Amino acid sequence: MAIYRTKDGHTVRLGSTVWGINGQGPFTLAEPDHSAPPGWICAVSGDGEDIRLHAPEDISLYYNLVRRVEI
């Protein structure tokens, strides 16, 4: 199972809940469909309306485990 590091230094994996560094969220980390490049990950909003496809390193740039807004 893939492990990712968030911007605030926490370890997360598929099924973890994260928050955007701009305060948006929460998002659940999910496996994308098979058309995505290997190792990529989706961040899915609670209502399922917002699905964001990310390269693995994006999680450490754009998401926190703990909700806070970074300016």
Side-chain angles (χ1 to χ4, degrees):
M1 176 177 278
I3 297 175
Y4 306 91
R5 176 98 33 203
T6 59
K7 186 166 182 164
D8 57 355
H10 295 277
T11 301
V12 293
R13 53 183 44 105
L14 293 177
S16 295
T17 300
V18 296
W19 295 85
I21 61 170
N22 60 1
Q24 292 181 341
F27 296 94
T28 300
L29 299 181
E31 192 168 344
D33 64 24
H34 297 290
S35 65
W40 284 48
I41 189 167
C42 283
V44 182
S45 64
D47 61 7
E49 293 292 319
D50 190 3
I51 301 173
R52 302 173 179 187
L53 180 63
H54 290 287
E57 61 271 15
D58 290 348
I59 303 305
S60 64
L61 297 173
Y62 304 118
Y63 293 95
N64 288 324
L65 182 66
V66 178
R67 184 179 189 186
R68 71 175 128 239
V69 177
E70 298 180 16
I71 298 174

